[in-house]
Every structure is written in C-alpha cells, then in structure tokens.
Amino acid sequence: MDILESLSVALEALRAHKLRSFLTMLGVIIGVAAVIALVSVGQTARSSVVGEFASLGPDLLWVLPGKAKEDSPFPTEEARLTLTYEDARAIEREAVFAVEVTPMLQTSVEVTGSGRKTTTTVIGTTPNLLVVRDMALQAGRFLQESDMSRRRRIVVLGPSLAQRLYRVPRNAVGRKLTINGRAFDVVGILQPEGGILGVDLDDRAYLPLTTAQQLFNINYASFLFVKAKDVESVSRAERETERILLRKHGEEDFTVLTQSQLLVSLSAILGILTIALSSIAAISLVVGGIGIMNIMLVSVTERTREIGIRKAIGARRLDILTQFLIEAVGISLVGGILGMGAGLAISWGISLRLFHSVPTIAATLPVVVLAFSFSALVGVIFGVYPAWRAANLHPIEALRYE
Amino acid sequence: MTVGRTLPAAGPLVALRDITKVYQMGRVTVPALQGVSLEIAPGQFVAIMGPSGSGKSTLMNLIGCLDRPSSGTYLLDGQDVSRLDDDELADIRNRRIGFVFQTFNLLSRYTALRNVEMPMIYATVPRAERRRRALRALEQVGLAARVQHTPQELSGGEQQRVAIARALVNEPAILLADEPTGNLDSRSGEEILAVVQDLNARGITIAVVTHDRDVAQHARRILQLRDGRLVRDEPVPQPLVARPALA
C-alpha cells in the first residue's frame, strides 16, 4: 500500500471519531503550547532583563550588605544592614577609580497625593544619583546638597507615580505628597526610564537620604551604587571599594558586584528557570502521548474485525502497522501544529505585557522546530505499540472478533 | 514476491497431502484436522460439509492461506504454501484467493466501490485501473447502479454481491465462500448461489463451506468431514440450478 493511500485511510479513521480525535489531540496541543510558550517567554525574559541591566551602564557597581557564598555572586546570609552614608562618603573621598558613590535606602510605603492613595517605592538617596544612574528631569529640579544637610521634606517623583496621583506629571511640581503622615513638597519630575524585570522604575519617589533616615528611623542604606571612572577601571574600582569597606568594617560583611557579574548570573538563573519550567511542560507532552497510546489501543480493539478483513484480503503486517502509525502521528502532528499556534500566541501575549517586546523569529524558530519534531516523535513512540499489536493480530482470530 | 501460475491448468489447483491441524487451548491440545488429503481441479465447484466441530472451517482457513497446517503439505497451483511466513501468505491471499464470508465483512465506512478497490490497494494497482476494475467487478455482480452506496444502504443480498465483487477483483485462482447464504433470506440466498454458479460456469474454481444440504446440492462435488477426517467425497450427479434475480 502506498503512503498516500495509508494517509487517506488514517484521515478517514480520524474523521470518523472527530470528538475523540480532538480530545486526544488536546493533550498534545497543551503540551506543545506550554513548551513553546514557556521557552520563548523565558528567552524573551532573559534577553530583555539582560538588556535592561546592561542599559544601566557598564561602569556601574553594586555594593550589597552581607557576604556572598562561593557559588553565588549574591549575598546569601541573612542580609544585615551594614552599609552607611559614611561608607559612601569614605569611598568617594579615598578612591581614585570609584568616582561617585550613591547610597540607596529603599522601602515600599503608602503615599497620598492630590487625595489619592497608592503604594510606591520610596528611595532615600543623594544628589549624585542623577549622574550615577544617568537620569534626567522633565520638570523642576533634583535633590541638592542643601536638601541633605537641612533634611528638607522635598520629593522628586518618577513620571508614572506622578501621573497616577496628579494626572499630568509636569503639573505635579509644587504639589504636596504625604509619606508616613508627613507632608512633602514635590520639587521635580524625572524622565521616563522604563521597567526592569517587570518592575516599573518610574513608579518611585526620591527623598534626600538624611530625610528618609529620619522618617523611617534607619541609619543604614539598602545598598550602594558605585560609578567607576570609566569602563576600563571597573575592576580596579571594585578592588578599591572592597579595600576601603573592609578597613572600615573590619570584616567582609558586604558584597561588591560588577555589572558583568550580575548579567552572567542573572542570565544563568533565568536560563535554569526556563529549562526547569519547560521540562515540566515537556512532561505534559508525554502525558499527551500516553493519551494517544490509550486511544490507539482502544481503536485497534474496536477495529479488530476491520484488521481481520484487511488481512484476509491481503494486507501485510507493514500495511497495518503504517496505517495505525500514521493515525497516531497524524493526531500528534496536527496537535503539534495547533499547539504551536497556541504557544506562539500565548508567548507573544505574555512577552508584550511583561517585557514590551515580542520573541524574535531567530529565538523562537529552534523551539518551534524542536516542539514540532518532539510532537511527531511522541506520535511515533506512543503509536508504535498499538500499531504493532494491530499488525500482529492473527487474521482468523481478528475475523472472529465480535 | 510474485506468484505466477507456474503450472498449466492440467495439474490440481489445490493439493492437500496428509494435512493435520492441532490447536493448543491452554494445556489441552485439540486436533481439528487429522490427516486430510484432497485435490481440487481448476474449474471445479466443491461444497465442504460437516457438522459443527468437524473441522470444515479449519480446512477452509488452511485452503484460504489464513493459517498454516501443523503438518502435511499444501500445494496451491503447484507452489508449496504450507511453510510460508505471514507476509508471504498475505500476498497469496491477495492475489490467489477470494473470500466471501457469512457476515459479508465489508468495511462499513466505505462505499461499495471503495470496498471492492481494497484488495487492489494492497496489490498496489494504480488508482485509475483500480477504479476501472472495481466498476467492472460490481457490474458483473449486477450492482453497477449502487457503487456509491455504503453497506448500510444495501440489502443483505447486495452486500454479499459487493463481497463477491471484492473477492474477484484481483482475479484469484479460487473463490472461497464460508456459509455465503447463512445470513440471507432464501430469495437472496438463491440469488447469491446463482451468481456463484454463473462464476463457476465462466471457469472460476469455487469452494463453499456449508452445513445446508440444499446449498451443497448446487455444487458439482461434495466433501463430507467428520471429526477432522474426510469421510466422503462424491460428485453431485444433478446439481441444482439457482434461478438468477429478475434484473
């Protein structure tokens, strides 16, 4: 029997049980869709997060409280607050390659402005953040040294926070913002920065560090930003910072991270996450395959007599085997195509929402090819046994089957 | 594998020598045939009779190459087919044997035409020729007007005629019919016997298994089986002639 004939026989059999074929297919559709969606969202997450961190500037270093264990760049022990404004000033004073240091005291609180309440990230920092992070204002001014020394109750807002509270960001300058029951004057609005890891960097309120420390009754900073003199001197800035802090603290209760270290480990973490998630998705593809096997075994039993008839009039074992195998592969391939469509649609939707970008064709193509061939493989693997059973039925017994 | 008619029509078409068939039912062995020898010449019309359990169905399955004997040899048109493997037997069935069953055994999803085309699909006959030959076979059994009907849309007698067309379409050496009238009313049964007799008159070798003496009387020779042995083998002096349907 030629392959075209086998194909049409298999398709007829599938059409004869439309609902059953579709339900069986659903297992593969869900499996393939899940694999494609998770892998391509994972890839988009990776490239967009890496891109976001890279855009912070290659000359940036982070000083985090707590000491990192050997296999992770991030502090793993209980993060004690050990970094202070004084540390920042000391590094700035003594270092040659670490030119700007900005302490960041970061906390999430409820704020009220223009009668509206919202929860936002409030950051106590110093005026040089503008230089360190390469930020720009769209209205008003940023924090100044005099704000620091006088602990002024002034605040600079990110544009999306300003918009949420005051509707038109530019008009927010001069209005009042209440934090922890204290009224603050809005003095400036920043230019939009975008988001990182799905976190909106524009949903922020910046206060003078001194004011924030008084407001929250904390003397420490959450972490420090260090800006190296230039890209070439990043590692020298790192060593300088470590040396100065070690001398001041007497122990290594902090971790200095460069941007490249951060990127490598972030990318690795996201990669592992993607692999873990898509492995779970792949399991559903296997479950789909078991569904195919199940329904094919039912189909072989139901059509025992048909198999007997076909054998009596001259079907060889291979003819029967291919007929049932094509049926199984047909289910899994059609399921694979539908699942591919669903998976791509889902991954585009998620990527657009979370990362404001769509997966590139170059990134998706291997996943699509892989998921597609995997689904065909599932059909073959789980179709072979039922087809083999059908092919090896004895013609007389098959004809006698009621 | 090609199966040609290696011998001229002079030799027997079917030659069984001391055939036995033993079924293993768990620990018990059941002898179904115990040393059957017989010959069927080309162009003959043989009825195989016997009570149930006499081995007539087993004999039919062996002649039809659906099964292999436990011992003995079977020459089909001079070729020893008693030791062939499953796929070789499938080829023999496809090209040399035509089956007609009591329950018709048509595929219900397919039209009459598609059912008749099926043996040629396994013989890899090209599509156009398949169609042409199937139509001709259906015409021969008087169903030219119903080729696009599915089995459910046909009467029992018509379904059996489709089955006969399917059995003949690959031009087999022998037509084997197992109780071909068993599921039909007497009128339709008569029609089917008329078709079979007509085919035999055109030179096709036929073997019919039946327990119905009336049906057997349409053949030209009757083989009687009992307890797995051939107990009688005699010609029918005056075969009954079935009246064909009024077309």
Side-chain angles (χ1 to χ4, degrees):
Chain A
M1 183 153 72
D2 56 80
I3 201 79
L4 267 178
E5 206 57 53
S6 307
L7 254 176
S8 91
V9 167
L11 282 181
E12 270 163 24
L14 292 181
R15 241 182 282 140
H17 297 282
K18 286 192 192 69
L19 181 63
R20 192 160 93 179
S21 307
F22 175 71
L23 289 177
T24 311
M25 234 171 244
L26 209 52
V28 182
I29 294 175
I30 292 170
V32 170
V35 170
I36 289 183
L38 285 172
V39 172
S40 59
V41 166
Q43 281 175 341
T44 317
R46 199 154 138 190
S47 61
S48 100
V49 166
V50 166
E52 283 160 359
F53 273 91
S55 73
L56 292 180
D59 51 359
L60 213 54
L61 296 107
W62 282 259
V63 184
L64 307 178
K67 176 70 195 122
K69 296 260 165 65
E70 57 269 12
D71 54 346
S72 161
F74 297 105
T76 45
E77 67 182 42
E78 195 66 32
R80 290 174 297 150
L81 293 179
T82 53
L83 301 166
T84 62
Y85 182 35
E86 258 318 299
D87 290 337
R89 301 303 296 270
I91 299 166
E92 258 183 5
R93 258 198 325 270
E94 297 177 28
V96 181
F97 298 103
V99 286
E100 297 277 359
V101 183
T102 309
M104 301 281 280
L105 172 56
Q106 195 165 325
T107 175
S108 185
V109 293
E110 196 175 68
V111 300
T112 314
S114 195
R116 297 183 186 89
K117 259 188 195 169
T118 185
T119 301
T120 189
T121 305
V122 172
I123 296 169
T125 185
T126 50
N128 61 356
L129 179 69
L130 209 58
V131 188
V132 169
R133 285 285 328 281
D134 231 352
M135 301 194 304
L137 286 155
Q138 59 169 302
R141 65 173 181 87
F142 197 66
L143 312 174
Q144 291 170 355
E145 285 303 334
S146 59
D147 300 326
M148 293 287 293
S149 51
R150 291 182 198 168
R151 293 182 180 166
R152 276 205 187 111
R153 294 217 179 114
I154 55 123
V155 63
V156 175
L157 303 182
S160 60
L161 176 63
Q163 173 150 29
R164 209 154 70 240
L165 295 176
Y166 308 102
R167 296 294 173 251
V168 183
R170 298 183 142 277
N171 298 350
V173 178
R175 309 281 291 268
K176 295 278 185 197
L177 181 77
T178 310
I179 307 172
N180 261 14
R182 308 283 173 85
F184 283 70
D185 288 315
V186 178
V187 297
I189 306 297
L190 292 162
Q191 289 284 3
E193 278 191 276
I196 204 162
L197 275 170
V199 175
D200 185 2
L201 291 181
D202 298 327
D203 183 8
R204 301 246 148 124
Y206 296 92
L207 323 177
L209 179 70
T210 48
T211 315
Q213 285 178 332
Q214 190 183 45
L215 184 69
F216 300 119
N217 199 18
I218 298 171
N219 287 324
Y220 299 99
S222 310
F223 65 94
L224 309 180
F225 271 130
V226 176
K227 194 181 176 72
K229 200 172 109 199
D230 48 42
V231 181
E232 285 71 38
S233 47
V234 165
S235 53
R236 271 174 291 189
E238 183 188 1
R239 283 196 299 275
E240 261 182 356
T241 306
E242 278 171 351
R243 183 169 45 76
I244 294 164
L245 283 180
L246 195 58
R247 207 191 56 229
K248 280 204 79 198
H249 290 197
E251 58 170 327
E252 208 179 335
D253 56 358
F254 59 89
T255 303
V256 181
L257 280 179
T258 63
Q259 192 201 39
S260 61
Q261 287 166 342
L262 195 69
L263 287 184
V264 166
S265 44
L266 258 180
S267 170
I269 288 169
L270 288 169
I272 291 166
L273 206 67
T274 305
I275 289 170
L277 284 174
S278 39
S279 308
I280 294 169
I283 291 172
S284 70
L285 202 50
V286 172
V287 173
I290 294 170
I292 291 181
M293 180 135 139
N294 194 13
I295 215 67
M296 288 312 295
L297 285 173
V298 170
S299 176
V300 167
T301 308
E302 271 181 356
R303 281 147 70 193
T304 300
R305 214 180 160 78
E306 172 187 332
I307 295 162
I309 297 169
R310 288 181 183 277
K311 289 198 145 197
I313 63 172
R316 293 156 156 249
R317 274 174 306 184
L318 191 64
D319 294 324
I320 303 290
L321 190 89
T322 29
Q323 180 189 331
F324 281 92
L325 203 53
I326 287 178
E327 226 174 287
V329 174
I331 290 177
S332 67
L333 266 190
V334 174
I337 292 170
L338 294 178
M340 208 166 72
L344 287 179
I346 292 168
S347 67
W348 275 52
I350 293 178
S351 302
L352 268 177
R353 252 195 101 67
L354 286 188
F355 310 111
H356 312 285
S357 70
V358 291
T360 58
I361 293 189
T364 4
L365 199 66
V367 191
V368 167
V369 170
L370 200 73
F372 194 69
S373 14
F374 197 47
S375 71
L377 196 68
V378 160
V380 172
I381 289 172
F382 290 96
V384 152
Y385 175 64
W388 180 85
R389 281 244 302 229
N392 283 290
L393 283 173
H394 194 284
I396 295 172
E397 277 152 34
L399 277 171
R400 239 185 252 142
Y401 185 85
E402 287 300 330
Chain B
M1 198 189 82
T2 54
V3 183
R5 281 167 211 230
T6 47
L7 288 181
L13 184 63
V14 171
L16 303 183
R17 299 259 180 283
D18 211 19
I19 293 285
T20 68
K21 180 70 189 178
V22 179
Y23 289 112
Q24 195 75 36
M25 311 286 241
R27 275 196 221 155
V28 191
T29 52
V30 182
L33 291 177
Q34 319 190 47
V36 172
S37 298
L38 64 88
E39 291 187 350
I40 301 173
Q44 262 194 345
F45 182 178
V46 183
I48 300 168
M49 294 199 68
S52 47
S54 61
K56 59 183 191 299
S57 292
T58 305
L59 180 61
M60 178 75 140
N61 290 337
L62 287 175
I63 295 176
C65 293
L66 284 167
D67 212 347
R68 276 176 290 260
S70 303
S71 69
T73 55
Y74 170 17
L75 301 184
L76 176 66
D77 218 354
Q79 183 194 3
D80 187 352
V81 295
S82 40
R83 303 284 175 268
L84 297 183
D85 72 21
D86 288 354
D87 284 343
E88 289 166 334
L89 285 180
D91 268 343
I92 299 277
R93 290 196 295 272
N94 185 240
R95 286 154 211 266
R96 310 291 279 139
I97 315 269
F99 286 102
V100 175
F101 303 94
Q102 178 172 1
T103 51
F104 321 135
N105 278 339
L106 299 175
L107 293 189
S108 55
R109 294 197 306 271
Y110 295 161
T111 61
L113 185 65
R114 190 82 206 271
N115 266 290
V116 177
E117 279 185 19
M118 218 162 52
M120 295 184 283
I121 289 172
Y122 294 117
T124 59
V125 174
R127 187 172 287 264
E129 194 193 337
R130 224 154 62 197
R131 172 126 319 185
R132 192 174 53 73
R133 271 164 60 180
L135 284 171
R136 201 181 54 202
L138 282 163
E139 203 176 312
Q140 269 180 16
V141 296
L143 283 177
R146 310 187 80 87
V147 295
Q148 292 301 342
H149 289 60
T150 58
Q152 291 103 311
E153 300 163 342
L154 298 171
S155 72
E158 287 170 329
Q159 288 186 52
Q160 196 60 300
R161 281 193 272 163
V162 174
I164 292 174
R166 181 181 65 188
L168 291 177
V169 80
N170 267 349
E171 292 167 357
I174 184 165
L175 180 75
L176 298 177
D178 189 357
E179 303 280 8
T181 61
N183 274 23
L184 300 175
D185 59 59
S186 54
R187 179 86 200 90
S188 307
E190 181 91 0
E191 278 178 35
I192 292 303
L193 286 174
V195 171
V196 170
Q197 280 189 322
D198 177 50
L199 294 171
N200 181 239
R202 289 195 234 167
I204 294 171
T205 312
I206 290 165
V208 174
V209 166
T210 183
H211 65 274
D212 185 336
R213 186 145 285 280
D214 262 9
V215 171
Q217 289 299 323
H218 290 79
R220 292 198 268 160
R221 173 185 171 198
I222 297 180
L223 302 172
Q224 190 84 40
L225 284 172
R226 185 178 299 267
D227 298 330
R229 292 178 205 281
L230 190 59
V231 293
R232 209 150 15 131
D233 179 355
E234 55 190 20
V236 181
Q238 284 280 294
L240 297 177
V241 177
R243 278 174 304 139
L246 301 170

